[in-house]
Amino acid sequence: MEDTVFVVVMSIFLGVIFIFFVAGFLILGSDPSPMVKSERQLKEEKEAFEKKIEIIKTKFCETAGHQDIRSISYNVKDNYYLILVDPKGHKMKLCHIFRGYKDEQKTYEEDYLTTSIIGCEFLQTDAKTGGIKRIVVGSILAGGVGAIIGAFTKSSIVKDVKIVIYFSSALNPTRTLNLLPQTKYNSDEYKKAKSFADQVMSVVKAIVAQNSLHR
């Protein structure tokens, strides 16, 4: 009798496990794994970003009336920046696309006159020492063009990476581009942020030089 009860209980137990196993298999089979889903989502977001960028570029060129536009883009960790410069019309557009509240993608577009740009600053904070590395373009801070200011000990972790663009406006004197939160020094993300920063600073350096000639 006891053997019969044991067999029945085990049969029920194994049956329940089998049902859960089959249900889990069907769920996983119908829905991609989190890794596959995130890769697919990343690809879709990249395509949507590139499409949006092309639309913004097209409108900017149409407004400028020519195709001689400098374009610089940045895409790391759901943080997208696009800078368009019209040297002939002395205009610059800054587009920021990022993931906001409730995982919604938000887009902000800002227009500036390049004649109002007076400098640019690259900021990198060492996570270990708190030291700040500054690379300055323009006469906005002591040291002049391309100066490196502040103590900085290179560790394996960088706390943050930023670019600050300075304008000759008392109401809106700065615009900060937060490129990266804490990351590993010389990681792929860091290299992309640094490359973008180098391009932005090169463009700002040329703008500041042109502005000085027309004063």
Side-chain angles (χ1 to χ4, degrees), residues 56-162:
I56 294 173
K57 284 182 180 179
T58 300
K59 290 182 178 179
F60 189 77
C61 290
E62 289 176 352
T63 302
H66 60 86
Q67 299 293 320
D68 298 329
I69 303 298
R70 176 64 189 272
S71 172
I72 311 171
S73 60
Y74 172 79
N75 176 0
V76 172
K77 293 184 177 180
D78 296 329
N79 191 30
Y80 311 118
Y81 281 106
L82 171 69
I83 294 178
L84 298 173
V85 179
D86 172 14
K88 295 180 180 179
H90 305 291
K91 294 179 180 180
M92 181 181 80
K93 176 179 282 294
L94 172 60
C95 179
H96 186 200
I97 305 173
F98 62 96
R99 192 164 301 286
Y101 182 65
K102 292 185 178 180
D103 209 37
E104 295 178 354
Q105 192 179 75
K106 294 186 175 293
T107 302
Y108 288 101
E109 295 182 39
E110 301 163 291
D111 295 289
Y112 302 94
L113 290 174
T114 57
T115 51
S116 69
I117 297 175
I118 60 174
C120 184
E121 183 178 19
F122 170 81
L123 295 170
Q124 176 179 310
T125 307
D126 188 294
K128 183 178 180 180
T129 66
I132 297 176
K133 176 181 180 182
R134 287 188 174 119
I135 302 178
V136 181
V137 167
S139 57
I140 52 175
L141 291 175
V145 177
I148 298 177
I149 304 175
F152 186 82
T153 303
K154 184 170 68 178
S155 67
S156 59
I157 302 296
V158 175
K159 187 177 181 180
D160 54 45
V161 179
K162 302 176 183 178

